[in-house]
Each structure stands twice: as structure tokens, then as C-alpha cells.
Amino acid sequence: MLPLFLLLLSHSLPITTQSTPPTCKSHPSLPTWPSPALWSSLNTTLSGRLLSPTPPGAPCHPTHPTLYSPTLCPSLQTAWFTEAFHTSDPVSSYWNNFNNDSCLPDPRAPCTGAGYPVYVINATSVADVKAGVDFAREHGVRLIVKNSGHDFVGRSSAPGSLSIWVHHLRGVEEFKEGYTLQGERCKGKKVEGHAVRLGAGMQMVDVYRETGRMGRTVVGGNGRTVAMGGFITGGGHSILAARWGMAADRVVEVEVVTPDGVVRVVNECEGEELFWALRGGGGSTFGVLTSVTLLTIPSPAVTTLTFQFATTASNPSAFLAIAHFVSAFPALADAGVTGYPIIFNSVPSTSNPQRLVSGVIGILIMLDAPSPSTILSHVQPLFTHINITYPGQFEFYTDVTSHKDFAAWYEDNFDPSPVGYSSVMASRLLDKEALTGNVTVLKTALERFSAGGQATVYIVSGKGVFEAQPRGGGTAVHPAWRRTYVHATTSVSFPALDAKARDAAIKASNLYADGLRELAPGTGAYVNEASKYEPGNWQKTFWGDNYERLLKLKREVDPNDVFWCQPCVGNERWQEVGDMLCRV
Ligand SMILES: Cc1cc2nc3c(=O)[nH]c(=O)nc-3n(C[C@H](O)[C@H](O)[C@H](O)COP(=O)(O)OP(=O)(O)OC[C@H]3O[C@@H](n4cnc5c(N)ncnc54)[C@H](O)[C@@H]3O)c2cc1C
Ligand SMILES: *[C@@H]1O[C@H](CO)[C@@H](O)[C@H](O)[C@H]1NC(C)=O
Ligand SMILES: *[C@@H]1O[C@H](CO)[C@@H](O)[C@H](O)[C@H]1NC(C)=O
Ligand SMILES: *[C@@H]1O[C@H](CO)[C@@H](O)[C@H](O)[C@H]1NC(C)=O
Ligand SMILES: *[C@@H]1O[C@H](CO)[C@@H](O)[C@H](O)[C@H]1NC(C)=O
Ligand SMILES: *[C@@H]1O[C@H](CO)[C@@H](O)[C@H](O)[C@H]1NC(C)=O
């Protein structure tokens, strides 16, 4: 018989660590879920920054005991379709399906917190982030990272989880005359050029404004609220990339909290492998970025061609003309023309909704062009060709404008896409071979890809991406980016609370994309704007030959899978079972 005090002691010995690991991550319904006292002590560590989030649609639900408000509900219903609402909410994401429609601002829908994290750390410091990573690791709690909540593949939300909300990690620091790399092994090595350090929660609109004030700009995205955390870890495509490389190509240093809870500053001489992986290897996989230091670029003058050409949808030549136009994109990009063209396929004409039309609409730009007419001299021959080949069948619209710098251009041309509904995406990177190899095959593929109504064929890569010299010799973005000209996406939206409609949308988006997968079998897809349900070997699709190297690093820095998401590097050992995350 052991003395009583030894018996008591034996209960507190870490014997559980010797037994088989739990089969699921801690969940509020499991005995492994940390006690209220443990959560409370985490809150103390965080000086009270632990939130117990309320379901975002609650003000519209009479069933909600405290938040129901017939006066607030109508404004919430309007705000739901804005980026600002989801960005400033601790848990809401832009696409309802990624919160499992569990509390929409509609009194007829159910409202629970089931599709949202249980607790949120409103992080404003590196220490807050570290506390969250440590807690999740020590208690086996499912961990997510939310920044803006944009994510098209739903990586910034999960049920039954602890979320580190990095939106309030703000701040801009300017380095006017070069940047001295931190870390002993860097021995004060200096990177030439103008640089800025940005808090990981900084969003495009703020970054363009801040750098604009410095007379500079960054290789950035087109959405206003896209935040640095997700943007950089995905690689970051840009209308400026054909000249300057991708956003990740211009990063010189990253501060990150790794799964072991260590705060690291990584760059080309300190933590090189992690530095490589954090630039394109995907969000919330290797750690939480707290800041990113990157080289800015001189702000260019921008000439913009706003254009459209369209024909009756039943015209059998519609997609021949569209394919002719799209096949010219490599030549346009090589000549310095980039932009955001969108194919529309059998959509009602704005002037006459009875009439269905097909064509291409969008903007194309040139940087520092010698004159406003330069851009037309590149694009007009394509319209003329279509006009002559199919006389009288197409209508054309063109308008050229000029902006003195990129910040001014952006204020007029940011991506105003609506949010707040259910949607899935599919995408493909297209290289020169895919775009110019066989225009008949391209025609069929584009027609199929846009069958849902529209598809983007963004010209966001080119010479600058092909010839980029990222610090440390490379980044983890899919190697196919180095020969890609066009990033093509299509989305399928569907009604809420309808599992059949959701499954049909997933199926449809993948069927649409099959044509492009066949057209460009050797490329891949951009992980930030893609299908969460990409069929086949998605690891290869999103990272190509970089996958093995990324996986090896993931196992080293996160041996116990503190971070898990889909589609994310090294997630193969766990799967979602209902609202839990369990070992395979
Ligand atoms: C209107 C619109 C326009 C867009 N335009 C562009 C564009 O021009 N170019 C482009 O490349 N993309 C663009 N995107 C896509 C954008 O890159 C992705 O939505 C990206 O995931 C946004 O990152 P986020 O941090 O804002 O979003 P979140 O949804 O909050 O996060 C996305 C992913 O990154 C992770 N993450 C976020 N912050 C951190 C961090 N600090 N540390 C570790 N992981 C983190 C999250 O966990 C998640 O996995 C656009 C999206 C929209 C909706
Ligand atoms: C954390 O502490 C703050 C301040 O005491 C409190 O307002 C908040 O409700 C606490 N969070 C949780 C989840 O209990
Ligand atoms: C999160 O923290 C920021 C910065 O301190 C604060 O402005 C904001 O109100 C907090 N949000 C919530 C929901 O507590
Ligand atoms: C198309 O051809 C018609 C007839 O020749 C001409 O009037 C029109 O300007 C042309 N439009 C374009 C965009 O080339
Ligand atoms: C283009 O592809 C089609 C269909 O596969 C084929 O019939 C045609 O011969 C190809 N054209 C060229 C120029 O290779
Ligand atoms: C989503 O909600 C449905 C209906 O309430 C439920 O059956 C399903 O398990 C939920 N899915 C997840 C991933 O939580």
C-alpha cells in the first residue's frame, strides 16, 4: 500500500503521455477538452484577450437569449455582403459554407456556434500568438489562424477549435536605405533597396496607402482586405508581377511563431528552410507569421484599357473569338500588358436581359507606357481581327484612362467582388503551351470552364516571375508559376443549408475545370484561389515538385501536427469526422 500522498502524486504524473495518443483533437464534447480553469488561466496570460465569440448572425434570431435585436438585424443583413463585416468579426468568413451555414443573419435559418471556433485569441502581440500556439499544442486543441477570413479554400475557420485572430497585428515600419537582416548568422548583411516591415494583419488597402505616402508601392493583390498572412504564404499574384515577380519573391525576412512556441526571425541566412517554405508553402502550416519585411517597388504610372467585346451566346463563333483573344495573352504580357479579363458565357445582356451574350470584359494595364495610346496599339489588332473574321457579329467597347501612380489606380480599380454567400472555386495555371499550342483545344476548354456563367483569365505573371531572384535562391510556390501567364478561376455559388446543392456545386466546379486540367496537365493551381475539393493528387497540383521538400520540413517543425488544414502540406495523418478532427 502506498502512502496517501504518493497515491495522489501518481495521479498527477504524466502517465497519459505513455499511452496511445488520443484519436481525435480535443473537442468540447470530449473529456480531453481543457477545463474552464485552464481556459481562464490562458485568458490571464493574454491579459483578458481571450474571446468567447458569439455566432455572427445572432442579432437576427429571436431564439438567441441576449443578442436578438429586431433593430440591428436589417443592418446586419446588409453588412453581411461586405468585406468589412467579415474582416472585423472575430470568427466570420467570407463564404458561408466554410462556417457550415450555422448562423446566417436569417431568422428562418438555425443559429448556433457549431460551425465556428469555440475560443478566439484577439492577438495584438507576438506573445499573444505564442500563448495560443503553446496552449493548443499542450492540450491537443484544434488550432486555426484567421486573418481577414477571405479564404476560398476555408482554411481560416473550423468548428470546435481555438482560433488565433491576427487581424489586429498591424503596423508599418519603413527602411529607406536598405534592410539589415537580423540574426547572428547574417552578420549584419544588408539587402539593398527600400523595404517595409508589415504586421501580418495588414491589408492591401492600407499597405497601398501607406507605401503610397512613401512614394512607393508593393507587389500586391487586388482585393481591398486581402491580408499579408494568407497572401504571402500563398505566394501572392499581382497585376504588377509580370514586371516585378510575385509578392513572395520580394520578401526578405519573416517573423514567425513555430509549432514549438518559439518566436523566430527567418531569412536567407537564418532559418533558411522555413524562410523558403513560408513564401508559398501555404498558410497555417508551419507557424503563425507575425510580420513580413519586403522590398517595395517604385510606384508606376498606370494606363488602363477598360474593354468588352460580346456577341449573341448562340453564335457558334463566340468562343473561337474568345480563344483567339486569350491565346494572345503571352504576347501581351511579354509586351508589358497585364490585367484582369473575365470571360462571360451565356449571361443576360445588361442592356437587354432577354438576350444572352458571350464575350470578354475587364481591364488591361501598362506601366509607365510612353503614351496612353500604347496599350491600344497592342490590343486593338486583336479586336480588329475578330471584327474582320466575324463581320458585324461582335460589339466592342474600349476606354483608356491614366493614373499618375499605383495607389491612385488602385482606388479606382480594386476588386469589388461581393461576399457573404456560399461558393466553391476551381482554378488552373496556364502556361504558353496551354494558351497557344492549339487554339481549337483552348476554345473547347474555355467554353467548358466558363459554363457556370463566368471565368477569370487573369494575366498576373510573365517575365518578372520567370526571372525572379528571390532571396535565398527560391520560394515554395508551385514551380509552374515560373512559366505561367494566366491564372484562371471559376466559382459556383449555391443556396444555404442545402447539402445536395453544395455537392452539386463541388461536382460542377470540378467538371468545369477538367478541360483546363487536360489542357495544362503539367502546371498546377494556385492554392489561395482554388478548389478545396481538388480531385486527385492535390499535393502535386498545389506545390508540384516542391511538395516532398515541404513535407519533410513540416514533419520536422510540426511533428505533432499542431497546425492542420485542408488543402495544406502534411495534413495526411488527420481527417475531419463530422465537426471533429481525428487521426486517420
Ligand atoms: C476580393 C478578393 C481579391 C483577391 N485578390 C487576390 C490577388 O490579387 N492576388 C492573390 O494572390 N490573391 C488574391 N485573393 C486571394 C487571397 O490571397 C486569399 O483569399 C488569401 O487566403 C487571403 O489571406 P488572408 O490572410 O487575408 O485570409 P484568411 O482567410 O484569414 O487566411 C488565409 C489562410 O492563411 C492563413 N493565415 C492568415 N494569416 C496568417 C498568419 N499570420 N500566419 C500564418 N497563417 C496565416 C489562414 O490560416 C488561412 O490558412 C483575393 C481574394 C478576394 C476575396
Ligand atoms: C477574458 O478576460 C476578460 C477580462 O477579464 C473578460 O472580459 C473575458 O470575458 C474573458 N474571456 C473569456 C473567454 O472568459
Ligand atoms: C480586438 O483587439 C483590438 C485591439 O486592441 C480592439 O480594438 C478590438 O475591439 C478587439 N476586438 C474584440 C472583438 O474584442
Ligand atoms: C468593326 O468593323 C466595322 C465595319 O467595318 C467598323 O465600323 C468598326 O469600327 C469596327 N470596330 C472595331 C472595334 O474594330
Ligand atoms: C488541335 O487539336 C484538335 C483536337 O485534338 C486536332 O484535331 C487538331 O489537328 C489540332 N490542331 C493542330 C494545329 O495541331
Ligand atoms: C454541418 O452541419 C450539418 C447539419 O447540422 C451537420 O450534419 C454536419 O456534421 C456539419 N458539418 C461539420 C463539418 O461540422
Side-chain angles (χ1 to χ4, degrees):
M1 220 16 212
L2 289 168
L4 187 60
F5 78 90
L6 267 185
L7 257 182
L8 284 174
L9 199 64
S10 73
H11 283 288
S12 60
L13 287 176
I15 32 176
T16 46
T17 57
Q18 301 302 315
S19 64
T20 51
T23 51
C24 298
K25 293 242 177 190
S26 291
H27 182 272
S29 69
L30 296 176
T32 46
W33 188 248
S35 66
L38 281 169
W39 286 108
S40 172
S41 106
L42 172 63
N43 199 9
T44 306
T45 308
L46 295 164
S47 313
R49 308 196 66 81
L50 187 69
L51 311 175
S52 173
T54 51
C60 293
H61 292 270
T63 49
H64 198 279
T66 52
L67 293 174
Y68 175 57
S69 164
T71 49
L72 277 183
C73 175
S75 55
L76 174 64
Q77 287 173 329
T78 309
W80 198 267
F81 298 106
T82 67
E83 296 181 37
F85 173 78
H86 302 283
T87 277
S88 52
D89 186 274
V91 289
S92 200
S93 54
Y94 288 33
W95 321 110
N96 299 340
N97 41 312
F98 295 129
N99 295 121
N100 204 12
D101 297 332
S102 58
C103 185
L104 300 173
D106 178 347
R108 293 163 306 177
C111 177
T112 70
Y116 296 93
V118 184
Y119 290 105
V120 174
I121 294 174
N122 185 4
T124 53
S125 70
V126 177
D128 293 342
V129 173
K130 173 180 164 49
V133 171
D134 285 340
F135 190 88
R137 186 189 61 249
E138 283 160 18
H139 300 288
V141 171
R142 185 172 183 181
L143 181 67
I144 61 161
V145 182
K146 185 196 171 197
N147 204 328
S148 68
H150 256 215
D151 204 30
F152 289 108
V153 285
R155 294 166 298 178
S156 45
S157 26
S161 63
L162 167 65
S163 171
I164 303 179
W165 186 33
V166 295
H167 176 61
H168 292 285
L169 291 176
R170 317 288 294 183
V172 183
E173 216 178 318
E174 183 180 11
F175 303 91
K176 284 187 178 154
E177 280 149 38
Y179 180 75
T180 305
L181 297 173
Q182 299 183 69
E184 238 172 71
R185 289 177 54 217
C186 296
K187 299 192 180 86
K189 184 172 182 180
K190 197 163 173 187
V191 178
E192 296 302 321
H194 180 278
V196 285
R197 176 175 298 139
L198 305 168
M202 290 293 289
Q203 293 172 296
M204 284 332 311
V205 60
D206 310 310
V207 177
Y208 288 134
R209 276 191 196 140
E210 296 281 344
T211 52
R213 255 180 236 136
M214 302 167 189
R216 307 284 297 180
T217 194
V218 293
V219 173
N222 205 39
R224 269 175 299 185
T225 54
V226 172
M228 296 317 288
F231 184 64
I232 294 294
T233 51
H237 71 70
S238 173
I239 200 165
L240 300 171
R243 174 139 154 210
W244 294 101
M246 298 181 79
D249 292 334
R250 305 197 59 79
V251 173
V252 297
E253 195 167 274
V254 178
E255 186 184 65
V256 57
V257 180
T258 42
D260 54 5
V262 176
V263 183
R264 294 169 205 271
V265 174
V266 298
N267 53 36
E268 69 200 59
C269 33
E270 198 81 53
E272 301 95 310
E273 192 66 3
L274 196 51
F275 179 55
W276 171 79
L278 291 173
R279 294 170 295 160
S284 47
T285 301
F286 302 95
V288 183
L289 279 67
T290 48
S291 75
V292 178
T293 306
L294 44 84
L295 292 169
T296 65
I297 59 173
S299 189
V302 186
T303 317
T304 307
L305 171 67
T306 305
F307 74 93
Q308 180 178 344
F309 66 90
T311 186
T312 305
S314 58
N315 183 347
S317 303
F319 271 83
L320 283 172
I322 293 169
H324 173 75
F325 185 65
V326 174
S327 71
F329 287 3
L332 285 182
D334 288 347
V337 178
T338 58
Y340 297 125
I342 300 168
I343 296 171
F344 50 94
N345 184 344
S346 301
V347 302
S349 156
T350 38
S351 55
N352 173 11
Q354 305 295 319
R355 182 180 168 230
L356 297 179
V357 290
S358 295
V360 183
I361 189 171
I363 55 170
L364 293 169
I365 67 163
M366 281 192 88
L367 310 178
D368 301 319
S371 92
S373 60
T374 315
I375 191 159
L376 264 182
S377 74
H378 290 294
V379 185
Q380 183 62 49
L382 299 168
F383 294 154
T384 303
H385 172 89
I386 294 169
N387 201 20
I388 290 172
T389 315
Y390 315 103
Q393 297 173 37
F394 283 80
E395 295 137 49
F396 298 87
Y397 167 84
T398 56
D399 179 47
V400 175
T401 51
S402 298
H403 289 89
K404 67 174 175 26
D405 63 25
F406 193 75
W409 176 86
Y410 184 74
E411 296 296 336
D412 289 343
N413 291 284
F414 61 78
D415 180 346
S417 309
V419 303
Y421 55 97
S422 293
S423 177
V424 288
M425 189 181 258
S427 71
R428 197 75 187 173
L429 302 175
L430 304 179
D431 59 6
K432 192 180 213 160
E433 169 64 24
L435 291 162
T436 63
N438 183 326
V439 181
T440 315
V441 177
L442 177 68
K443 171 207 170 263
T444 309
L446 292 178
E447 195 163 6
R448 184 170 172 188
F449 190 58
S450 59
Q454 63 174 45
T456 73
V457 276
Y458 288 172
I459 313 169
V460 286
S461 188
K463 199 163 177 280
V465 178
F466 310 160
E467 295 173 4
Q469 304 271 315
R471 307 300 303 188
T475 73
V477 297
H478 196 307
W481 269 111
R482 306 299 172 193
R483 53 192 167 83
T484 285
Y485 282 97
V486 167
H487 165 49
T489 72
T490 191
S491 298
V492 181
S493 56
F494 51 96
L497 298 159
D498 184 341
K500 270 200 188 132
R502 188 205 54 197
D503 293 347
I506 294 169
K507 206 169 157 194
S509 60
N510 274 325
L511 277 176
Y512 299 159
D514 273 345
L516 290 190
R517 293 185 186 114
E518 286 159 20
L519 177 72
T523 64
Y526 177 46
V527 66
N528 275 3
E529 296 180 316
S531 173
K532 188 182 186 72
Y533 315 94
E534 179 73 27
N537 186 343
W538 55 264
Q539 293 90 335
K540 185 111 185 154
T541 300
F542 295 129
W543 290 285
D545 289 346
N546 282 338
Y547 191 75
E548 295 301 312
R549 183 173 164 192
L550 285 164
L551 179 63
K552 184 167 172 283
L553 181 69
K554 169 74 175 174
R555 295 291 178 249
E556 278 164 33
V557 304
D558 194 11
N560 297 312
D561 301 321
V562 174
F563 292 93
W564 189 94
C565 45
Q566 169 61 26
C568 300
V569 169
N571 72 0
E572 297 86 356
R573 305 192 289 205
W574 302 78
Q575 62 187 346
E576 288 177 302
V577 180
D579 63 352
M580 289 197 207
L581 186 60
C582 302
R583 282 187 191 277
V584 169

